[in-house]
Amino acid sequence: MMQHTVTPHPDKLKQNLKQRLARIEGQVRGLQRMIENDTYCDDVLNQIASVQSALNGVAKKLLTQHMHTCVKHRLQTGDESVLDELDTTIERLLKR
């Protein structure tokens, strides 16, 4: 079950993630232009792979932060259900 809680992220991480996501946003806009301009399919597919890789980079950084803060804190308070949640999250990330 998805919990809707506020998780303050360190400013340095937040800035890094925002910068990465802004670049990804630009890449996606570029993909839209490529489609509109009938760009060669292989070039579009390579750009899609680049976007997926960039998103994976964001996910890795956030997952690391999550394990070192949220998961650690919940384990310290005796909430072992976080391990099932983490397992599900990792499984979803690996399906990509």
Side-chain angles (χ1 to χ4, degrees):
M1 175 185 275
M2 189 171 180
Q3 292 187 4
H4 297 283
T5 59
V6 175
T7 304
H9 302 290
D11 288 340
K12 186 176 179 178
L13 174 68
K14 192 182 300 188
Q15 187 63 30
N16 182 275
L17 294 177
K18 286 171 57 178
Q19 288 172 343
R20 287 170 177 255
L21 290 169
R23 276 194 301 272
I24 292 166
E25 183 180 20
Q27 288 177 298
V28 171
R29 280 194 302 272
L31 275 169
Q32 291 172 327
R33 284 190 300 275
M34 291 173 85
I35 296 297
E36 289 170 5
N37 296 332
D38 297 320
T39 302
Y40 183 60
C41 296
D42 192 58
D43 293 339
V44 176
L45 292 168
N46 284 321
Q47 185 62 24
I48 289 171
S50 178
V51 169
Q52 289 172 328
S53 177
L55 281 170
N56 285 340
V58 170
K60 287 176 193 174
K61 283 206 167 285
L62 192 55
L63 180 60
T64 298
Q65 176 68 21
H66 179 57
M67 289 187 303
H68 288 280
T69 56
C70 305
V71 173
K72 181 179 177 181
H73 173 72
R74 286 178 58 189
L75 285 172
Q76 289 172 339
T77 63
D79 182 2
E80 292 193 11
S81 70
V82 71
L83 296 175
D84 292 330
E85 177 186 283
L86 181 61
D87 185 48
T88 300
T89 299
I90 291 171
E91 189 175 311
R92 280 191 202 121
L93 287 171
L94 292 177
K95 284 184 181 180
R96 297 180 181 171

